[in-house]
Amino acid sequence: MATTATPNPNKMMTAVVMAVWFLVLLTSPAASCPEPCSCYPTRVDCRSRGLTSIPDNIPTTTARLSLHNNVIQTMKNSAFIDLPNLSYLYVQNNIITTLTNDTLSGLSNLRTLYISNNLIRKIPGGTFNGLAASQP
């Protein structure tokens, strides 16, 4: 007499949980990491990648963004507007020539900006307005 196996509810629940977890990973911000960067939960590492511009699609959860040691020449107006959690921005050792009043707009949580060793000759008044470090 053949017996049929009764499905184990614990195994079924484990399979469902694993499937949901896999879907969450696929749709997480890290899944949209810009090429050729490396992404971690709150950190994006794009240093020394030969970048000529700031990559698109940086995860909005980014708190630390490393763009140093590239050949970035310009930072567009509001380049970081979609990164409200950004606290540390590393753009040193590039060839950035100008900053505008809007380059750093929206970065109210920015605590540290490393921008040395670039080709900046003039920084307009108001460029750092609204940044956490510049507030009284």
Side-chain angles (χ1 to χ4, degrees):
M1 177 189 250
T3 60
T4 58
T6 304
N8 183 334
N10 289 335
K11 285 185 179 180
M12 289 176 62
M13 182 57 91
T14 301
V16 169
V17 168
M18 289 182 71
V20 169
W21 180 75
F22 182 71
L23 289 173
V24 168
L25 283 178
L26 285 177
T27 59
S28 71
S32 64
C33 188
E35 288 289 331
C37 306
S38 299
C39 293
Y40 308 92
T42 60
R43 183 171 56 98
V44 177
D45 185 357
C46 302
R47 65 183 164 190
S48 304
R49 308 292 167 100
L51 297 176
T52 58
S53 63
I54 297 167
D56 294 327
N57 303 320
I58 296 171
T60 58
T61 56
T62 302
R64 191 176 295 256
L65 178 57
S66 299
L67 293 165
H68 52 290
N69 302 328
N70 283 293
V71 286
I72 297 170
Q73 186 172 0
T74 60
M75 293 197 302
K76 296 181 240 171
N77 286 350
S78 305
F80 309 103
I81 195 78
D82 294 328
L83 304 176
N85 300 313
L86 193 62
S87 300
Y88 298 90
L89 177 57
Y90 305 90
V91 291
Q92 71 271 25
N93 301 320
N94 278 285
I95 56 172
I96 298 167
T97 56
T98 57
L99 294 178
T100 67
N101 287 342
D102 295 328
T103 300
L104 303 173
S105 65
L107 296 180
S108 60
N109 289 314
L110 190 68
R111 299 282 183 255
T112 306
L113 172 64
Y114 292 95
I115 199 163
S116 63
N117 297 322
N118 278 287
L119 303 175
I120 299 169
R121 297 287 179 245
K122 182 179 178 185
I123 299 175
T127 299
F128 302 107
N129 286 354
L131 300 181
S134 69
Q135 296 175 358

